[in-house]
Amino acid sequence: DTLYRTEAILESFDRANINYRIISANSDNWSEELATKDVSSFIPTFGIENVDMIISNNDTMALGAIAYLQTEGYNLGNGQKSKGYIPVFGTDGIPRAIKAIREGTMTGTVYTDFSALAKVALDIATSSKTSDEDITKVIWYQSREHTVNVPYAKFASFKDYTVRPYPVSEKKQNRKIKE
């Protein structure tokens, strides 16, 4: 699952012709503490000014990355004077991550629908069907090569890009950009 998450992100960057350099691909064992230590080791090496984004394969590690960024004066949240903000994304949609997004310390998460995952797993386990085509009919999600991807839901809070540092004509001034 995590390898697919990482591959999907990198493939989407490649399709969009986004240049990137991975400076840490440690698993951090799903641990907030290990993620904090990991980020504290690579930021001094590469420089915080060279980190454009942090993407974690779960929210707990994203929160660990944020914990270190905050020791450096970054990602302090709504209304607090920060040295800067580095977008941090996680996966799972845990309550602490959603709270961090609302507070302005985290950028986004992808909510994992655990109820749907459990239902799909139960339906597959109790079904006598074995082919991808038959499994797809039973669970309503596409089964390919005996792999089922249950869709995620996005949850994010982004900077208001309608506020511009340059003058805008009166005609366009009141027009909001759709998010």
Side-chain angles (χ1 to χ4, degrees):
D1 186 38
T2 59
L3 291 176
Y4 293 125
R5 290 178 187 177
T6 302
E7 286 174 13
I9 291 166
L10 298 179
E11 286 171 8
S12 67
F13 285 174
D14 290 340
R15 280 192 307 274
N17 293 317
I18 296 172
N19 293 321
Y20 59 88
R21 180 174 71 163
I22 299 170
I23 57 177
S24 175
N26 295 335
S27 73
D28 292 333
N29 212 19
W30 311 110
S31 163
E32 186 170 342
E33 183 180 315
L34 289 176
T36 302
K37 287 180 183 176
D38 187 23
V39 175
S40 72
S41 70
F42 74 71
I43 290 218
T45 303
F46 293 96
I48 201 162
E49 68 282 355
N50 294 314
V51 178
D52 295 319
M53 180 185 311
I54 296 174
I55 302 172
S56 297
N57 271 324
N58 82 345
D59 288 335
T60 305
M61 293 186 301
L63 292 166
I66 291 166
Y68 178 76
L69 293 175
Q70 290 176 332
T71 67
E72 295 293 319
Y74 283 71
N75 295 44
L76 297 179
N78 300 329
Q80 295 191 43
K81 187 172 171 82
S82 291
K83 288 182 182 176
Y85 184 87
I86 295 173
V88 178
F89 296 90
T91 300
D92 293 330
I94 65 171
R96 284 183 55 221
I98 292 170
K99 182 179 182 222
I101 293 165
R102 289 186 174 134
E103 291 172 348
T105 60
M106 187 168 164
T107 310
T109 185
V110 181
Y111 174 74
T112 304
D113 187 343
F114 295 108
S115 297
L117 288 172
K119 180 162 181 6
V120 166
L122 180 65
D123 288 349
I124 291 171
T126 58
S127 173
S128 61
K129 310 296 183 189
T130 58
S131 74
D132 282 328
E133 183 179 332
D134 289 339
I135 290 292
T136 297
K137 290 175 186 174
V138 169
I139 62 172
W140 292 63
Y141 292 107
Q142 180 73 42
S143 177
R144 239 183 239 139
E145 297 177 19
H146 299 298
T147 301
V148 177
N149 289 317
V150 176
Y152 293 101
K154 300 174 198 170
F155 186 91
S157 177
F158 293 98
K159 181 178 175 182
D160 182 1
Y161 289 100
T162 61
V163 178
R164 294 178 175 84
Y166 52 87
V168 179
S169 72
E170 277 187 39
K171 207 178 224 183
K172 293 182 182 176
Q173 206 162 10
N174 294 324
R175 194 174 78 199
K176 282 279 222 183
I177 296 173
K178 291 183 183 178
E179 293 183 28

